Amino acid sequence: MFDLHRLRLLRELKHRGTLAAVASALSYSPSTISQQLALLESEAGVPLLEHVGRRVRLTPQAEILVAHTEALLERLEQAEADIATSLTDLVGTIRIASFQTAALALVPTALTLLRHAHPLLRVHVTQMERESAVPALLARDFDLVIDVEYPGDPSPRPAELEQEDLCEDSLHLARPGNADASAPQEALRALADHPWIMEPEGTVPRRWSMTLCRDAGFEPDVRYESTDHYLHLRLVEQGHAAALIPALVWKGCSPGMALQPLPAGHQARRLFTAVRRGSSQHPAIQAVRQALRQAVRQTSRGADDSPPSS
């Protein structure tokens, strides 16, 4: 029989990459992690780790063990969900990671709904971009991630996770001055020599934005970089830059700038929630997803996604 605790340590090493990262996440010393994995090797009767420079890599036999561990943990998630379902009151803690726009536009309303419906449920929320949030969900640092997918740039869908659509969030070209009556691609091209603000290099929104501009026939002059869409808004309002802005940013308020539609196929991004496979039936997960759907409906009732007339 394999020790489940040691199997989980091996799984953590696969997802976190280094013994130091596993030790830090679980509040152990690296030497303790090494000792536990050495005992697991003895139980398995085969090498589980091999050294590559200063790092370690899982052997094929270790990968087999991790795959079985994932299946065991999925069943344990289901067992936890079944027990929680049998209780009258929803209690415990649920940990959520969300990117900034959703954290500002949807999460506060969802928290209010959860507080009224399930006062004993403790909710922890961390603002985090998807590049970090999805690996943290796989590593069990969070229970649910609010994620986003940009048009033409589908997100990876790890087999260990389950997704549920939340809403579509329309995307617009925001420019200083008056709106351009031209067709969407021509309106983009008219800003070829104008400064732009975009998300940092290496992020999904930046890749999508660059592709959109290049498809319109120009390389944008990106002078400002930030993940904060409210900075994007301020720079556009004061005439410093053009930007590509999602509608959730203004959430029911009238945007103080010219907004224009984007070319077909690039007009909305997809918001969704992701959880580990086996946990989707947990009452706390279901309660959070329901609250987020209600928050979307409330936001939609107050939002005006259409660009103002110029």
Side-chain angles (χ1 to χ4, degrees), residues 71-124:
L72 287 170
L73 293 177
E74 180 180 335
R75 291 302 301 269
L76 289 174
E77 297 257 25
Q78 292 173 345
E80 184 180 349
D82 290 343
I83 290 172
T85 302
S86 71
L87 300 175
T88 303
D89 296 320
L90 189 52
V91 298
T93 300
I94 184 165
R95 302 158 300 168
I96 301 170
S98 174
F99 64 99
Q100 186 202 40
T101 312
L104 288 167
L106 302 177
V107 169
T109 301
L111 289 176
T112 300
L113 294 166
L114 287 167
R115 182 177 61 197
H116 289 299
H118 307 287
L120 299 181
L121 180 65
R122 183 181 177 91
V123 183
H124 288 190

Side-chain angles (χ1 to χ4, degrees), residues 2-12 40 65-66 69 72:
F2 294 113
D3 181 273
L4 181 58
H5 172 65
R6 294 173 190 142
L7 288 171
R8 292 185 72 165
L9 292 179
L10 186 65
R11 176 193 178 277
E12 290 289 329
L40 183 60
L65 275 181
V66 167
T69 302
L72 287 170

Side-chain angles (χ1 to χ4, degrees), residues 128-136 147 200 202-207 227:
M128 184 179 291
E129 298 303 314
R130 77 166 321 275
E131 289 80 6
S132 302
V134 171
D147 205 349
T203 62
V204 171
R206 176 61 172 269
R207 185 167 62 241
T227 58

Side-chain angles (χ1 to χ4, degrees), residues 148-160:
V148 63
E149 182 176 274
Y150 276 76
D153 197 322
S155 303
R157 300 192 180 191
E160 303 94 330

Side-chain angles (χ1 to χ4, degrees), residues 3 5-14 18-19 22 30-44 46-49 56 58 62 65-66:
D3 181 273
H5 172 65
R6 294 173 190 142
L7 288 171
R8 292 185 72 165
L9 292 179
L10 186 65
R11 176 193 178 277
E12 290 289 329
L13 181 58
K14 175 179 174 61
T18 66
L19 292 171
V22 174
S31 61
T32 299
I33 302 295
S34 295
Q35 290 167 8
Q36 291 297 307
L37 292 177
L39 289 172
L40 183 60
E41 279 193 334
S42 298
E43 292 174 353
V46 293
L48 298 178
L49 303 176
V56 293
L58 273 62
L65 275 181
V66 167

Side-chain angles (χ1 to χ4, degrees), residues 164-288:
E164 181 177 284
D165 285 347
L166 187 55
C167 65
E168 283 198 343
D169 185 20
S170 61
L171 295 158
H172 300 281
L173 170 63
R175 55 175 295 151
N178 297 324
D180 188 330
S182 306
Q185 272 212 335
E186 293 175 3
L188 275 169
R189 199 175 298 119
L191 294 167
D193 297 325
H194 198 79
W196 286 77
I197 179 168
M198 291 184 179
E199 288 80 355
E201 289 276 6
T203 62
V204 171
R206 176 61 172 269
R207 185 167 62 241
W208 168 78
S209 300
M210 296 297 291
T211 299
L212 187 65
C213 292
R214 287 167 179 165
D215 286 349
F218 69 96
E219 191 74 13
D221 177 11
V222 183
R223 298 191 195 177
Y224 314 104
E225 295 182 286
S226 174
T227 58
D228 187 343
H229 278 121
Y230 292 90
L231 176 58
H232 292 214
L233 284 178
R234 298 292 85 79
L235 291 184
V236 175
E237 285 174 347
Q238 297 186 29
H240 297 296
L244 299 164
I245 306 287
L248 272 181
V249 172
W250 54 83
K251 202 190 81 159
C253 301
S254 177
M257 65 194 70
L259 295 175
Q260 299 183 236
L262 295 177
H266 290 279
Q267 294 176 343
R269 60 182 187 170
R270 167 181 169 252
L271 271 63
F272 59 95
T273 56
V275 299
R276 288 184 299 278
R277 190 169 296 280
S279 70
S280 61
Q281 297 307 307
H282 194 290
I285 296 290
Q286 293 183 328
V288 169

